Amino acid sequence: MSDEVDAVVERVRERVTPGDDERAELQAVADRLTERGEDAIASLPVDAHVVRVGSTARGTWTAGDRDLDLFVCFPPELDREELEEYGLSVGHAVLPAGHEEYAEHPYVKGTVDGYDVDLVPCYDVADAASIQSAVDRTPFHTRYLAERLDETLAADVRVCKQFMKAIGVYGSDLRTEGFSGYLTELLVLEHDGFRPLVEAAAAWTPPVEFDPADHGRESFDDPLVVIDPTDPERNVAAVLSTEQLATFQHYARELAAEPRTDLFEPSESEPVDAETVRAWFERRGTTPVAVRFDAPDLVDDQLWPQLERSLSGVTDALNRRGFDVLRSAAFADETAVLLAELEVAERPAVERHEGPPVHVRDHAEGFYETYADSDATGPYVDGDRYVVERDREFATASAFLRSDALSNVALGTHVASALESEYEVLVGEEVAPLAGEFGVELADYVDPKP
Amino acid sequence: MSDEVDAVVERVRERVTPGDDERAELQAVADRLTERGEDAIASLPVDAHVVRVGSTARGTWTAGDRDLDLFVCFPPELDREELEEYGLSVGHAVLPAGHEEYAEHPYVKGTVDGYDVDLVPCYDVADAASIQSAVDRTPFHTRYLAERLDETLAADVRVCKQFMKAIGVYGSDLRTEGFSGYLTELLVLEHDGFRPLVEAAAAWTPPVEFDPADHGRESFDDPLVVIDPTDPERNVAAVLSTEQLATFQHYARELAAEPRTDLFEPSESEPVDAETVRAWFERRGTTPVAVRFDAPDLVDDQLWPQLERSLSGVTDALNRRGFDVLRSAAFADETAVLLAELEVAERPAVERHEGPPVHVRDHAEGFYETYADSDATGPYVDGDRYVVERDREFATASAFLRSDALSNVALGTHVASALESEYEVLVGEEVAPLAGEFGVELADYVDPKP
């Protein structure tokens, strides 16, 4: 067994290790861009320098990755406006065909010889605890790892990243909520290799905590805690969700149980068509309902938390009203969709409504007077309480979703405004044609994997 | 307001107080039967005597009531067999046309001059704490109250019983679970009248405790506790249910809010017909289901607890399986019926089934292996757990009720055997014709009162 895992890992390692040509080419491009940056800095009225960060700087990129991250480090005294102005001017000098994007600061992004290059300004602070903006931390990470990752460990980092990509847990963006590159590198380093890491992970009982620099002081309420060796107050795994951690554990065991290289091969599902979707829901006897609207124009890191919040607001509201949600999902492309698969699409015209205990005299008398002469059935006494059966506000899930009551649901701000302008509600078979825009997403929905 | 209540009570009091003729006639019958009893005792090889007990002995019966209870008190040394033999012989001598019934002991029941007469043997024990059978307590109750209830209070007891009968809370049988005659008398005595009792009851916050003889030692887990003045270890109100206490409180307030004599007039609902029942369920959009079987041949005090237990077993099982019960009821006559009104009569073909947390390795691996190659959808990871969507055992409530699974439900013993031999399941409109046998019960179901 052990040999089989080693053999699989070895095969993957060969595949993801960049060859000498790739390394040399990347080095050449990076050197050229760094030089251009330094030239541009020379004409500025301020001292600064260019550093390479990220996986290409640490030698932990997987073969074929073409991301180059260059940071321009400015003195910490520089005010923010100047930093941004100088940062952009260096950026445009290095990447004349680039365009500006905005994260913590504006920065310049462009393509050079097939490489996706980011040119980001940051403050050159004394240590990671004194950072003035989140990106200031990055050079410290690169330095910490560069000192500790030899080529053997770097190779294992590449294998680990490949594994995480294939099983869908790689990336600390707010849609994936998975493992960042830095987190992956720290974990491989901490366990001294990919194989010991997955063997340990297979047996983890969260919360699991690592503190490589042994300087943690705070406690974190996260399933995985890895104290940043360059900043004792930060959990590097803060973004990782419980679900993605469990998924990683699942596949760590799967690798041990049935070692095979396809666990390292990302694959996108074949899209399903409308008829497949229709037949699938029909066979299950559930009722899918979908709220569809124009996707808000936001970057993924803003969009997805809003979609998730909205989806959970809608499913909570559906559940509270008795339209029991079996499963739900959010999709986004040109349009965005909140999909809920209902066990119960229709409730009776009446609902049971419990009043106060009869012995709580003031409340009880008020409740009784309210309902005694109403159309409600009752009040009658059940246990120690008054109960009535009164008209239900919404007998169908679609009536609720089409009503103004939807706006009282906890939604993301931009989703709320999108819904205010226009949305459609699809019920039952009307959901099936969503396969046109979301065939891959629906393929994953009808055949969910760990 | 106060005057109005007094006026109502006064009118009721006049109506329920037996006239001189009724009293004299009852006295004459009681004397004659007592004499017959003493004569029969004289020919026995044991000392014994006849005592009158119950409301007619205490002067608290309501006009028109025709119950006469005579107890034959035997020495406590007598063994049980002899007590039963002698008791029956006296019974048959007093009531030659009577028949035997069985409670704690066998006893003789018969009709004399239009009076329902019970002739019950008991042990003449020294005090209520030394009783050998439950009925031995009764003469002590009669003696305790006879010494304390004057005619004014006796009149208030009659008014109170009339009120309780009208609102359906009078009777300590296990169907009614209401107020016994003795309990009613103790409460009127304790509060020094009907009016003060209902005024107090309107404001009670259960648990409420009274201890007229100030000798209680135990604590009881009942909503109303009245320590028996003849037995410190007994709660006279042990049978009273939370619901019936709340109902009494409700009508006590109703009497104060809108004093009127019809609160003292028992009325049976007009039976509804099948079409009314059908239309009523249709309007509500609920699905009634009924299990109907031959009523077990049991006395009410055995039958009703079993029906209630069975009803709660069936509704619990329906709720667990997602067929949400809005309200339920049991009926019994020639046949017995367990009726449940469902909000959801059908569920999807699949159900969500949560597995263990992924990190609980042994369980998690077992669960994953069980379902990975099955027809179930999943396993996928939700939160920290594996989840599958597998075939549901019963998609409809009727399929469940018609299946063997019904026999795994907690049912009363005799109900279980009745169902083993034969039962039918009625669904939706099929329930409506029950109005033929249970028109009054269904009238109360469609228009429930406090």
Side-chain angles (χ1 to χ4, degrees):
Chain A
M1 195 66 114
S2 140
D3 289 342
E4 279 183 64
V5 176
D6 282 343
V8 165
V9 167
E10 189 46 42
R11 252 175 295 156
V12 173
R13 183 179 291 135
E14 280 165 23
R15 203 156 49 72
V16 297
T17 301
D20 291 345
D21 291 355
E22 183 175 340
R23 289 173 198 255
E25 185 191 311
L26 181 112
Q27 189 63 45
V29 174
D31 288 349
R32 201 168 79 236
L33 296 179
T34 305
E35 205 169 315
R36 271 199 226 160
E38 300 288 358
D39 287 350
I41 289 167
S43 62
L44 292 179
V46 66
D47 222 22
H49 63 279
V50 177
V51 297
R52 280 171 57 196
V53 298
S55 59
T56 46
R58 300 169 200 153
T60 57
W61 82 97
T62 54
D65 263 9
R66 302 187 67 87
D67 289 319
L68 253 177
D69 298 317
L70 298 177
F71 275 35
V72 188
C73 305
F74 291 98
E77 313 78 60
L78 201 65
D79 72 29
R80 208 154 173 127
E81 249 174 60
E82 285 174 307
L83 173 112
E84 295 184 356
E85 184 198 327
Y86 298 157
L88 287 174
S89 80
V90 176
H92 287 300
V94 174
L95 301 166
H99 65 277
E100 295 179 15
E101 293 216 352
Y102 199 95
E104 178 95 17
H105 315 294
Y107 66 98
V108 177
K109 202 175 176 74
T111 308
V112 175
D113 293 352
Y115 289 89
D116 291 325
V117 185
D118 284 358
L119 221 127
V120 179
C122 72
Y123 285 110
D124 187 15
V125 293
D127 55 74
S130 328
I131 59 163
Q132 296 180 44
S133 85
V135 292
D136 301 348
R137 208 182 266 123
T138 310
F140 291 93
H141 296 168
T142 296
R143 214 170 302 145
Y144 180 87
L145 290 166
E147 288 166 10
R148 288 164 178 81
L149 288 176
D150 57 19
E151 173 52 27
T152 310
L153 281 176
D156 269 26
V157 166
R158 286 183 212 109
V159 169
C160 192
K161 286 182 181 176
Q162 187 63 28
F163 180 66
M164 288 175 165
K165 283 177 189 170
I167 65 174
V169 303
Y170 187 71
S172 58
D173 59 280
L174 298 182
R175 178 179 188 179
T176 309
E177 296 185 324
F179 295 79
S180 68
Y182 180 50
L183 174 59
T184 308
E185 291 167 4
L186 288 177
L187 287 172
V188 170
L189 182 59
E190 179 75 13
H191 292 82
D192 203 27
F194 170 68
R195 183 89 197 270
L197 167 60
V198 286
E199 279 171 1
W204 281 345
T205 300
V208 178
E209 180 160 344
F210 299 103
D211 185 1
D214 198 19
H215 65 171
R217 297 176 298 227
E218 305 203 21
S219 80
F220 296 89
D221 188 25
D222 297 313
L224 177 65
V225 177
V226 178
I227 305 292
D228 192 337
T230 74
D231 182 350
E233 295 182 11
R234 182 172 173 263
N235 174 19
V236 181
V239 164
L240 179 69
S241 69
T242 297
E243 200 163 300
Q244 292 289 56
L245 176 56
T247 298
F248 180 60
Q249 294 193 263
H250 167 81
Y251 283 104
R253 289 179 200 152
E254 189 71 8
L255 177 63
E258 287 187 59
R260 56 195 195 274
T261 53
D262 68 3
L263 290 172
F264 295 80
E265 282 155 20
S267 65
E268 187 172 81
S269 307
E270 282 296 308
V272 284
D273 62 13
E275 174 50 23
T276 304
V277 172
R278 194 200 58 72
W280 190 77
F281 285 119
E282 181 181 281
R283 201 161 52 243
R284 284 158 68 90
T286 53
T287 305
V289 292
V291 175
R292 186 191 208 187
F293 50 98
D294 286 340
D297 187 20
L298 298 171
V299 297
D300 276 6
D301 263 4
Q302 290 185 285
L303 178 63
W304 279 96
Q306 293 218 9
L307 288 179
E308 295 294 349
R309 192 173 331 137
S310 304
L311 183 65
S312 120
V314 169
T315 55
D316 286 353
L318 287 168
N319 281 327
R320 259 197 319 276
R321 290 170 185 276
F323 308 115
D324 306 353
V325 177
L326 180 66
R327 187 142 51 96
S328 64
F331 309 144
D333 190 42
E334 291 295 305
T335 67
V337 167
L338 306 176
L339 172 72
E341 186 181 3
L342 308 180
E343 295 198 22
V344 178
E346 187 170 359
R347 286 261 157 191
V350 294
E351 66 177 359
R352 181 185 157 93
H353 175 58
E354 278 201 356
V358 173
H359 63 76
V360 181
R361 187 166 187 170
D362 280 1
H363 290 153
E365 287 181 339
F367 182 88
Y368 185 79
E369 277 160 28
T370 303
Y371 287 102
D373 297 320
S374 76
D375 288 339
T377 298
Y380 57 88
V381 177
D382 187 12
D384 68 346
R385 288 177 185 272
Y386 284 127
V387 173
V388 292
E389 289 151 13
R390 63 180 184 188
D391 284 349
R392 185 184 291 274
E393 193 177 5
F394 298 107
T396 65
S398 57
F400 163 64
L401 294 174
R402 291 194 173 102
S403 79
D404 289 346
L406 186 61
S407 63
N408 298 327
V409 162
L411 301 167
T413 326
H414 291 83
V415 173
S417 356
L419 293 184
E420 259 170 50
S421 86
E422 198 183 358
Y423 67 95
E424 61 176 336
V425 174
L426 309 171
V427 181
E429 303 203 345
E430 295 165 5
V431 165
L434 288 176
E437 190 175 359
F438 300 107
V440 173
E441 288 85 346
L442 281 163
D444 291 335
Y445 187 86
V446 306
D447 187 17
K449 302 283 189 304
Chain B
M1 195 64 113
S2 138
D3 291 339
E4 279 182 65
V5 176
D6 282 342
V8 165
V9 168
E10 188 46 40
R11 250 174 296 158
V12 174
R13 182 179 292 136
E14 279 165 24
R15 204 156 48 72
V16 297
T17 300
D20 291 344
D21 290 355
E22 183 175 341
R23 287 175 199 255
E25 185 191 310
L26 181 113
Q27 188 63 46
V29 175
D31 287 350
R32 201 167 77 235
L33 297 178
T34 305
E35 203 170 314
R36 272 199 226 163
E38 299 289 357
D39 286 351
I41 289 167
S43 63
L44 295 178
V46 65
D47 221 22
H49 62 278
V50 178
V51 298
R52 281 169 58 195
V53 298
S55 61
T56 46
R58 299 169 201 154
T60 57
W61 81 97
T62 55
D65 263 10
R66 304 190 66 88
D67 289 319
L68 252 177
D69 297 319
L70 299 178
F71 274 36
V72 187
C73 304
F74 291 97
E77 312 80 59
L78 200 65
D79 73 28
R80 206 154 173 126
E81 251 174 61
E82 285 174 305
L83 174 113
E84 295 185 356
E85 184 199 326
Y86 298 155
L88 288 175
S89 79
V90 175
H92 286 301
V94 173
L95 301 166
H99 64 278
E100 294 179 15
E101 294 218 350
Y102 199 96
E104 178 94 18
H105 314 294
Y107 65 99
V108 178
K109 205 176 174 72
T111 307
V112 176
D113 293 351
Y115 289 90
D116 292 325
V117 184
D118 285 0
L119 220 129
V120 180
C122 74
Y123 286 110
D124 186 17
V125 294
D127 55 76
S130 327
I131 58 163
Q132 297 181 41
S133 85
V135 292
D136 302 347
R137 208 181 266 123
T138 310
F140 290 94
H141 295 166
T142 296
R143 214 170 303 146
Y144 180 86
L145 290 166
E147 288 166 10
R148 287 164 179 81
L149 288 176
D150 57 19
E151 174 51 28
T152 310
L153 282 176
D156 268 26
V157 167
R158 286 182 212 113
V159 170
C160 192
K161 286 182 179 175
Q162 187 63 29
F163 180 67
M164 289 173 164
K165 283 176 190 172
I167 65 175
V169 303
Y170 188 71
S172 59
D173 59 279
L174 298 182
R175 178 178 187 180
T176 309
E177 298 186 321
F179 294 79
S180 67
Y182 181 50
L183 174 59
T184 308
E185 291 167 5
L186 288 176
L187 286 171
V188 170
L189 183 60
E190 179 76 13
H191 291 83
D192 203 26
F194 170 68
R195 184 91 196 269
L197 167 60
V198 286
E199 279 171 0
W204 281 346
T205 300
V208 178
E209 180 161 341
F210 299 103
D211 186 0
D214 198 20
H215 65 172
R217 298 175 297 229
E218 305 203 20
S219 79
F220 295 89
D221 189 25
D222 298 312
L224 177 64
V225 177
V226 179
I227 305 292
D228 191 339
T230 76
D231 182 350
E233 295 182 11
R234 181 170 174 263
N235 173 18
V236 181
V239 164
L240 179 70
S241 70
T242 297
E243 202 163 300
Q244 291 290 54
L245 176 57
T247 298
F248 180 60
Q249 294 192 263
H250 168 80
Y251 283 105
R253 288 178 201 153
E254 189 71 7
L255 177 64
E258 287 188 57
R260 55 195 195 274
T261 53
D262 68 4
L263 290 172
F264 294 81
E265 283 155 21
S267 64
E268 188 171 80
S269 306
E270 281 296 307
V272 285
D273 62 12
E275 174 51 22
T276 304
V277 172
R278 194 200 58 71
W280 191 76
F281 285 120
E282 182 181 281
R283 202 163 49 245
R284 284 157 71 89
T286 53
T287 305
V289 292
V291 175
R292 187 191 208 185
F293 50 98
D294 286 339
D297 187 20
L298 298 170
V299 297
D300 276 7
D301 262 5
Q302 290 185 285
L303 177 64
W304 280 96
Q306 293 217 9
L307 288 179
E308 295 294 348
R309 192 172 332 135
S310 303
L311 183 65
S312 119
V314 169
T315 54
D316 286 354
L318 287 167
N319 282 327
R320 260 197 318 276
R321 288 170 186 276
F323 308 115
D324 305 351
V325 177
L326 181 65
R327 187 143 50 95
S328 65
F331 309 144
D333 190 39
E334 291 295 306
T335 67
V337 167
L338 305 177
L339 172 73
E341 186 180 2
L342 307 179
E343 294 199 24
V344 178
E346 188 170 359
R347 286 262 156 189
V350 294
E351 64 177 359
R352 180 185 158 94
H353 175 58
E354 279 202 356
V358 173
H359 63 75
V360 180
R361 187 167 188 170
D362 279 2
H363 290 155
E365 287 182 338
F367 182 88
Y368 185 78
E369 279 160 27
T370 303
Y371 287 103
D373 297 321
S374 76
D375 288 340
T377 297
Y380 56 88
V381 177
D382 187 13
D384 67 347
R385 289 176 185 273
Y386 284 127
V387 173
V388 292
E389 290 150 12
R390 63 180 184 188
D391 285 348
R392 185 184 291 273
E393 192 178 7
F394 298 106
T396 64
S398 55
F400 164 64
L401 294 174
R402 290 194 173 103
S403 79
D404 288 347
L406 186 62
S407 63
N408 298 328
V409 161
L411 299 167
T413 327
H414 290 85
V415 172
S417 354
L419 292 184
E420 260 170 48
S421 85
E422 199 184 357
Y423 68 95
E424 61 175 337
V425 174
L426 309 171
V427 180
E429 302 202 346
E430 295 164 4
V431 165
L434 288 176
E437 190 176 358
F438 299 108
V440 172
E441 288 84 346
L442 282 163
D444 291 335
Y445 188 87
V446 305
D447 187 17
K449 302 284 190 302

